[in-house]
Amino acid sequence: IAGPRVLEHVVDVVLYMEGERQQSYRLLRSIKNRYGASDEVGVFAMGDDGLSAVLNPSELFLSERSATTGTSSAVTVTLEGTRPLLLEVQGLCSPTHAGAPPVRVAGGIKMDRLSLIL
């Protein structure tokens, strides 16, 4: 049966390059690897001479974090493939009006998982 992924069944390795056009960083994600791990992620920076590997992506993700950041900000560890990454998580809050119950909205996480954390 032919489909959009029919070529993936024929080849040994499938890699996806992810990233935004306006950003200089790209993720190279291994989806299929017949000869090794298929859950690896590489972080690359686009420069004038092409792509170069980012040796410490956690430092990149935390580079804009100030030491005086207090409330509503925390550093967490997430696992991308087999690579642990340090990320900053920010919580933005606003007061409710007229006694309405608070509405919780999260980007990038399912609501049932968020309710377990809270």
Side-chain angles (χ1 to χ4, degrees), residues 57-79 84-92 107-109:
S58 295
E59 182 181 8
L60 168 77
F61 295 136
L62 296 175
S63 63
E64 295 180 16
R65 180 179 170 81
S66 70
T68 60
T69 303
T71 59
S72 73
S73 176
V75 175
T76 186
V77 178
T78 184
L79 203 60
L85 295 174
L86 295 173
L87 302 172
E88 180 180 13
V89 178
Q90 296 178 347
L92 305 175
I109 186 170

Side-chain angles (χ1 to χ4, degrees), residues 28-57:
L28 185 64
R29 188 179 305 272
S30 169
I31 302 300
K32 174 188 174 187
N33 187 353
R34 189 170 294 177
Y35 304 107
S38 64
D39 57 351
E40 293 296 325
V41 173
V43 181
F44 294 90
M46 178 64 81
D48 292 335
D49 55 345
L51 288 174
S52 60
V54 175
L55 300 178
N56 188 356

Side-chain angles (χ1 to χ4, degrees), residues 72 91-97 100-104:
S72 73
L92 305 175
C93 303
S94 63
T96 61
H97 301 285
V103 177
R104 293 184 173 122

